């Protein structure tokens, strides 16, 4: 079946520009996560959506980062006024229930390069 | 505070050998311990997971060993193959919490 789809797969942008990254989760999955992966830094949690609950934004590194999830499905991560340190792979994952033992299904990520 | 720590940071193993990756955790409330495998250009994928009520779980060539008193768990890859070369992340969670990931280790299996 269809997995988690992310677009674009690669994005090059100039410093100071805004970017939008899109995630299509697996149909029926109630939980959606965004992670950032920088070289040697592992998986950095950014934000978590669970059903209709208020999102857990505790991992967003600054107010330049925001995300929304429309209709409990597609999610968009927006980075405003991009900086070079924002360069990383942004991974989206979804899970069926969002409970601790519910496996995360990751997309292949969007590689963001800020020049 | 890093709640889940992996070691070593990188590992090189000869084909046919045993790869061992360790993970230590701090939060005694954790009750679910998965390992995720990530190939270059792909997102991580669940490999194997364990609950603390068992000390070992085996799936094919992959085994998780769990030591509750030491707050450690490890991944053993038997008969390691070049196709096992990837980044491995341990993680932990409890109840309704989200997963906390380790920093990952890169495994290279030499032919």
């Amino acid at each position: 079946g269809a997995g988690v789809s992310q677009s674009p797969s690669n994005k090059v942008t100039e410093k100071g520009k805004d970017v939008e990254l899109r995630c299509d989760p697996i149909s029926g999955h109630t939980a959606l996560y965004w992670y950032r992966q920088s070289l040697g830094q592992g998986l950095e949690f950014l934000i978590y959506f669970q059903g209709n609950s208020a999102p857990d934004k505790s991992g967003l590194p600054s107010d330049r980062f925001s995300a929304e999830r429309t209709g409990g499905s597609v999610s968009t991560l927006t980075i405003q006024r991009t900086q070079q340190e924002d360069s990383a792979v942004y991974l989206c994952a979804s899970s069926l229930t969002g409970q601790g033992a519910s496996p995360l299904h990751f997309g292949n990520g969007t590689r963001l390069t800020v020049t | 505070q890093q709640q889940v720590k992996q070691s070593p940071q990188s590992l090189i193993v000869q084909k046919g050998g045993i790869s061992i990756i360790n993970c230590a955790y701090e939060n005694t409330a954790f009750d679910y311990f998965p390992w995720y495998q990530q190939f270059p250009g792909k997102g991580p994928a669940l490999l194997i997971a364990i609950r603390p009520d068992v000390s070992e779980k085996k799936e094919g060539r992959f085994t998780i060993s769990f030591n509750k008193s030491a707050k450690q768990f490890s991944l053993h890859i038997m008969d390691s193959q070049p196709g096992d070369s990837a980044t491995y992340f341990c993680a932990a969670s409890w109840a309704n919490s989200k997963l906390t990931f380790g920093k990952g280790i890169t495994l290279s299996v030499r032919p």
Side-chain angles (χ1 to χ4, degrees), chain A residues 33 35 37 40-43 45 48 56 58 91 98-109 111, chain B residues 32 34 36 38 41-46 51 87 89 93-104:
Chain A
Y33 309 74
Y35 288 86
Q37 186 171 27
Q41 295 301 311
L43 297 169
F45 166 76
Y48 162 53
D56 175 356
S58 61
L91 291 162
Q99 303 284 318
S102 182
L104 268 62
H105 298 261
F106 284 85
N108 290 332
R111 180 175 297 278
Chain B
Y32 174 68
Y36 279 76
Q38 183 181 30
K42 303 293 186 182
L46 177 64
R51 294 274 197 183
T87 299
F89 295 94
S93 68
W94 81 94
N96 297 332
S97 78
K98 58 186 179 292
L99 281 172
T100 297
F101 284 93
K103 290 199 168 187

Side-chain angles (χ1 to χ4, degrees), chain A residues 8-53:
Chain A
S9 55
N10 283 282
K11 176 72 176 180
V12 180
T13 190
E14 293 181 351
K15 177 182 174 181
K17 299 284 189 182
D18 297 352
V19 294
E20 285 189 352
L21 312 180
R22 177 186 168 103
C23 173
D24 282 277
I26 292 174
S27 178
H29 280 195
T30 64
L32 186 147
Y33 309 74
W34 284 98
Y35 288 86
R36 179 167 69 176
Q37 186 171 27
S38 304
L39 190 63
Q41 295 301 311
L43 297 169
E44 178 187 4
F45 166 76
L46 298 177
I47 188 168
Y48 162 53
F49 297 89
Q50 172 57 58
N52 295 321
S53 303

